[in-house]
Amino acid sequence: MPFRLLMIPLLLALLALSACEDKQVAGPQGEKGEQGPPGPAGAAGPVGPAGTVIRFVDGECRQACTVACEANERILSTHAVNPGGTFVFEEDGRATFRPQRQGVAVKVVVACVPK
């Protein structure tokens, strides 16, 4: 029985020692080498915008409100998202929105393009 009691600590000590690894200390950093040759050219990127740029303006209306584009833009399209309402176009770049129900938030989206 005493022999078995000595075996447990001995096995644990051997297990702990086997987990140790030989760690080497790194020396000082060497000098930086020369830059290598350039790599092969990558694939061409996507083509940039070549035509008209559409800019979206969105907001929220709970009552009659004015939606407008910048001075050098005009309205391409307008949308009112659930519940809807009506748009009255006053100029190329400005409209008034009137929701179906007052006090209910309606998301309004305007698409603007350059004149």
Side-chain angles (χ1 to χ4, degrees):
M1 184 75 136
F3 179 72
R4 285 188 180 176
L5 290 176
L6 289 175
M7 286 297 288
I8 294 174
L10 183 62
L11 287 174
L12 288 175
L14 285 174
L15 184 63
L17 287 175
S18 68
C20 294
E21 60 185 63
D22 185 24
K23 295 182 181 177
Q24 296 179 357
V25 178
Q29 175 110 11
E31 291 183 28
K32 185 175 180 178
E34 292 182 28
Q35 184 172 346
V47 177
T52 303
V53 176
I54 300 173
R55 187 175 69 88
F56 292 92
V57 179
D58 63 343
E60 185 178 283
C61 293
R62 293 180 180 272
Q63 58 189 11
C65 62
T66 300
V67 292
C69 295
E70 298 290 329
N72 62 341
E73 297 175 326
R74 63 187 175 100
I75 294 176
L76 173 67
S77 180
T78 57
H79 300 279
V81 183
N82 210 18
T86 57
F87 288 94
V88 177
F89 293 90
E90 299 163 8
E91 296 175 3
D92 278 351
R94 189 177 73 197
T96 300
F97 173 73
R98 290 187 176 82
Q100 284 179 345
R101 294 180 284 174
Q102 295 289 321
V104 176
V106 178
K107 182 172 182 166
V108 177
V109 181
V110 180
C112 302
V113 293
K115 286 185 178 180

